[in-house]
Amino acid sequence: MINRFYYILVFFSLSLTYSCNQKSTEVEPSHPIKIQSIAPVENLSIKSARIVRFSKNTFAPVGSIYKVLAIKKRIILVDKTIGNSVLIFDEKGKYLNHIYRIGEGPGEYKNLENIYYDEKKDLLILIPMDYRKKYFFDLDGNFIKEEKYNENIKYLDLLSSGDFEILINNGSLNAEDGLKVYENQELVVSSIPFVDYLDMTPLDGRNVISKINKDNFNFTVGNRDTIFRYNAKSRKISVDYIFDFEAPISKIDYGNHPRPLEYFVESQMFIGIFDIFQNKNFLSFTTFKYPRIKGRLLSKSTNKIYDTEEFVRNEIGDLGFDGVLGLGQNGEFIAVLKAGENGNWDFSKNKSLEAAANQMEDLEPEEFLLLFFKIEEFS
């Protein structure tokens, strides 16, 4: 998750923005939510849950899970550890195909950045690190075409739907605005200007656009403390959530610190908002505190924040947790689970999941499981 662990880490911003079509930006007042003020997980329970194990395949075992797409009875994984690959399974974890096209010829790439789904065209869009190209595949992993683009964009996230695209640009690589929106291949909004101490971040900002409904989208940019909203009808940006990271020193003092990296590690500060997924009742996101990610569940009705890993251990068992990395088509959060520190798969606090795990023969400590789950909150 950490690409390079240095440079200035920051805690507060709410940038001025500019739209190509001269639409104004709305900034709505909001009370900051303290990211360390965690509500008791006993207020939550699992409403429904199921686990998915991946079958062995002819290409390579799953080495890591960077992203999960659950689309039309398929589970699509981005694995950056083994072979810059995309692995395709059915909804029960049976291997179907993979995308691995390393090279310099048509439809080939050297390094995989990420893959996205265009719901209108019903196609996967693969973005490589190396070329200004988009590679299109069907949901079975068959190559369809490639397209070049000339815009100076470094994709961190992309939500595409036919002729509409909303994307987050990695300003640390081109000093461009963070949010860009295209309609019919025309740039209609360019917003959240590049600010070096906010956008030169060591965090890899994956999964930073989250669809609320047909016309509204949440997003984050760089190390800002804000989850913004983009309205596609009005082309306006507003603020949904501002977080208080409760930093021990100000951003100015931190920027002038003689040993910023060492101080970050020693002070146990929090940084970043990414891996944003939501359903009707909860918004899931991830932040970082050395040496690992910290999952958070935000109740939309109470504005209370819960520790996702603590919730999983309280409701299911002593398991490893790699974050919520996807959303099912029925609004289920998709968490990546690993064996506990002792190498065991402990589902002792959920009898239904324990029975399902017992049916999985020879479940190894190095495997990954997906947990699809819904939550309910008690007052």
Side-chain angles (χ1 to χ4, degrees):
M1 192 62 229
I2 303 301
N3 276 348
R4 50 195 187 280
F5 202 55
Y6 62 92
Y7 217 81
I8 296 177
L9 311 177
V10 297
F11 318 99
F12 177 81
S13 77
L14 188 56
S15 297
L16 299 176
T17 59
Y18 171 79
S19 295
C20 290
N21 59 359
Q22 302 297 318
K23 293 285 186 177
S24 63
T25 297
E26 298 178 352
V27 177
E28 300 173 355
S30 176
H31 296 292
I33 301 170
K34 293 188 176 183
I35 212 159
Q36 300 184 50
S37 299
I38 304 303
V41 293
E42 289 75 17
N43 293 352
L44 303 178
S45 70
I46 286 184
K47 187 176 181 180
S48 63
R50 61 188 176 93
I51 51 176
V52 173
R53 182 190 190 185
F54 303 112
S55 68
K56 294 181 179 179
N57 64 77
T58 57
F59 173 63
V62 178
S64 67
I65 299 178
Y66 184 81
K67 184 175 185 174
V68 181
L69 295 174
I71 308 166
K72 294 187 175 180
K73 297 185 178 181
R74 293 170 180 82
I75 297 172
I76 299 168
L77 307 181
V78 175
D79 184 349
K80 290 191 173 184
T81 298
I82 299 181
N84 284 308
S85 60
V86 177
L87 301 171
I88 303 173
F89 301 86
D90 71 12
E91 61 184 337
K92 295 183 179 179
K94 180 183 177 182
Y95 170 75
L96 298 176
N97 200 0
H98 65 271
I99 300 172
Y100 178 77
R101 299 175 65 90
I102 305 301
E104 298 182 357
E108 296 179 337
Y109 56 89
K110 292 181 180 179
N111 292 287
L112 167 67
E113 181 63 52
N114 215 331
I115 198 163
Y116 308 99
Y117 175 59
D118 187 317
E119 60 184 2
K120 276 196 175 180
K121 295 181 179 178
D122 199 28
L123 292 175
L124 300 173
I125 305 173
L126 186 149
I127 304 291
M129 293 181 183
D130 319 279
Y131 311 116
R132 288 187 181 180
K133 291 182 179 181
K134 296 177 183 177
Y135 301 88
F136 295 84
F137 298 82
D138 66 23
L139 297 186
D140 293 321
N142 300 307
F143 177 67
I144 305 297
K145 63 179 180 177
E146 66 176 54
E147 291 180 357
K148 293 183 179 180
Y149 62 91
N150 297 319
E151 296 83 3
N152 185 20
I153 298 170
K154 300 295 182 182
Y155 287 90
L156 274 179
D157 205 357
L158 168 67
L159 194 150
S160 180
S161 181
D163 294 324
F164 170 80
E165 283 192 353
I166 177 171
L167 66 92
I168 302 300
N169 170 67
N170 187 349
S172 68
L173 299 179
N174 58 14
E176 294 277 338
D177 290 351
L179 174 74
K180 294 179 182 289
V181 181
Y182 289 83
E183 295 177 8
N184 297 311
Q185 298 184 324
E186 177 186 355
L187 180 64
V188 296
V189 173
S190 185
S191 192
I192 317 295
F194 171 79
V195 179
D196 57 358
Y197 59 82
L198 298 175
D199 293 301
M200 298 297 291
T201 169
L203 291 175
D204 185 1
R206 66 185 181 189
N207 304 320
V208 289
I209 305 173
S210 177
K211 184 176 181 179
I212 304 170
N213 53 41
K214 183 171 66 75
D215 297 315
N216 291 277
F217 308 86
N218 282 138
F219 68 94
T220 62
V221 178
N223 270 335
R224 291 161 179 81
D225 57 5
T226 305
I227 293 181
F228 299 94
R229 176 190 291 244
Y230 176 73
N231 183 284
K233 279 192 172 180
S234 66
R235 296 179 180 168
K236 288 185 178 180
I237 297 167
S238 56
V239 172
D240 275 359
Y241 306 100
I242 298 176
F243 295 94
D244 179 1
F245 285 87
E246 303 176 69
I249 60 175
S250 71
K251 62 176 182 178
I252 297 175
D253 290 339
Y254 183 79
N256 293 325
H257 198 282
R259 297 180 299 109
L261 174 59
E262 290 85 349
Y263 183 81
F264 171 72
V265 173
E266 293 169 0
S267 66
Q268 294 290 284
M269 303 186 313
F270 284 77
I271 177 177
I273 302 167
F274 49 96
D275 289 340
I276 306 171
F277 300 96
Q278 62 186 301
N279 55 27
K280 180 180 178 181
N281 299 317
F282 288 89
L283 184 143
S284 172
F285 67 95
T286 301
T287 184
F288 185 81
K289 175 184 175 183
Y290 184 83
R292 58 189 301 187
I293 63 169
K294 297 289 182 180
R296 293 290 185 262
L297 291 165
L298 173 63
S299 168
K300 293 184 178 181
S301 61
T302 66
N303 260 16
K304 291 180 179 178
I305 284 186
Y306 300 91
D307 185 306
T308 317
E309 183 173 6
E310 183 184 356
F311 168 70
V312 168
R313 292 187 173 185
N314 187 67
E315 289 288 308
I316 298 176
D318 185 13
L319 294 164
F321 174 78
D322 266 7
V324 172
L325 297 183
L327 190 72
Q329 291 191 295
N330 295 321
E332 304 160 295
F333 291 118
I334 308 174
V336 179
L337 301 181
K338 300 186 297 187
E341 292 182 359
N342 58 4
N344 294 328
W345 289 93
D346 176 21
F347 292 91
S348 58
K349 296 184 178 180
N350 187 298
K351 298 305 178 184
S352 175
L353 294 181
E354 185 177 43
N358 289 336
Q359 296 295 315
M360 299 177 180
E361 298 180 358
D362 302 320
L363 190 57
E364 299 293 337
E366 64 272 12
E367 291 188 56
F368 297 90
L369 297 181
L370 294 186
L371 171 69
F372 289 70
F373 67 102
K374 286 187 176 181
I375 315 161
E376 56 185 352
E377 182 180 29
F378 305 102
S379 57

